[in-house]
Amino acid sequence: MSVPQRRRAVLTGMLALAGAALASGAAPLPEGPWPDATVIRGEHYVVMGHRVPAARLADLAARTERARRTVAAIWGPVRPVVLFPETDAEAGALAGAGATGGLAALATADRVIVLPDGYGRLTETGRDVVLAHEITHVATGATRGGRVPMWLSEGFADYVGYSAAGLGVRTVASELAAEVAAGVLPDRLPGPADFAPGAVRLAQAYEEAWLACRYVAGRFGERTLVRLYGGDVGTVLGLTPAEFTAGWRDYLRKELG
Ligand SMILES: [Zn+2]
């Protein structure tokens, strides 16, 4: 399945802002931000819409439940709260975020906020990936105040997000695959600056992080990847940072070369 460039751009932008919002510690939102909200309460999730057509909100609820199951299967139980505002401006205000142009969704510490414009432009698969990615951030506590490296928090959210998408490695990591095919391999795992909005290799940073997590799951098992969240490669994997980086680079060569 091909992924239009536009979807990738929207998805990547969304991921970047999600990280930014979490890093800045956006204040928890009130339980019900809108007096005239439409609420769909599932057994394990709550979806709230503000002047959103009923069919669109019902679609979001179904996707939220599906994404919740995806996250639960890998990480563990989570009870997501997802807000669907009327406008992007309203979403930005709820999140305490600045510019949200081109983004599709973001996560605060305890809920997911849909950005109607960007979300509406995503493919069906893109919407599921975005929701599972953001719900993963809520479930894991994302970077936990910087104690979890960004390659792991973003890579793990994408690992879960793409786990049920049925997309090939080269499709998801198309930008990085083009570099590797041209003989260029990254020499280190991506850091916070690489995930900054507007970073030149932002798409590749997410792809590098995703493949680092995929490498861990493939070599050590998915349960070990989950244990790595909050641990470190030395104690959990028995590798030095240099050995881990070398193993990841070999994996990139094998998967994308
Ligand atoms: Zn993210």
Side-chain angles (χ1 to χ4, degrees), residues 4-23:
Q5 189 62 32
R6 191 176 188 190
R7 187 191 78 76
R8 283 216 58 82
V10 168
L11 183 56
T12 303
M14 173 283 299
L15 301 170
L17 183 69
L22 284 158

Side-chain angles (χ1 to χ4, degrees), residues 6-7 13 19 41 45 65 74 84 117 136 145-146 148 162 178 195 204 211 219 223:
R6 191 176 188 190
R7 187 191 78 76
R41 202 174 289 274
Y45 68 86
E65 170 59 13
I74 297 173
F84 200 153
D117 289 353
T136 300
V148 174
Y162 283 112
F195 291 102
Q204 289 91 332
L211 286 165
R219 177 173 168 187
R223 299 314 304 163

Side-chain angles (χ1 to χ4, degrees), residues 15 18 133 137 154 157 206:
L15 301 170
H133 179 109
H137 279 324
E154 294 306 332
Y206 279 97

Side-chain angles (χ1 to χ4, degrees), residues 56-202:
R56 288 193 81 193
L57 199 63
D59 180 77
L60 177 67
R63 291 180 195 284
T64 296
E65 170 59 13
R66 197 150 66 228
R68 181 198 68 78
R69 286 171 192 245
T70 300
V71 175
I74 297 173
W75 175 261
V78 58
R79 302 181 67 87
V81 175
V82 182
L83 307 184
F84 200 153
E86 184 180 21
T87 64
D88 281 16
E90 194 175 25
L94 280 171
T100 57
L103 311 182
L106 55 86
T108 68
D110 66 350
R111 52 199 66 187
V112 174
I113 302 172
V114 170
L115 289 143
D117 289 353
Y119 181 81
R121 286 198 298 272
L122 292 179
T123 62
E124 303 278 314
T125 301
R127 291 174 193 172
D128 290 337
V129 170
V130 161
L131 287 169
H133 179 109
E134 299 303 339
I135 291 170
T136 300
H137 279 324
V138 172
T140 59
T143 64
R144 300 182 184 175
R147 294 193 303 281
V148 174
M150 272 191 88
W151 71 261
L152 184 53
S153 64
E154 294 306 332
F156 186 69
D158 264 1
Y159 177 86
V160 177
Y162 283 112
S163 65
L167 298 171
V169 175
R170 288 164 197 275
T171 300
V172 174
S174 58
E175 289 87 355
L176 187 61
E179 292 185 357
V180 174
V184 181
L185 270 180
D187 55 11
R188 57 168 180 80
L189 289 158
D194 301 301
F195 291 102
V200 177
R201 293 182 68 259
L202 187 59

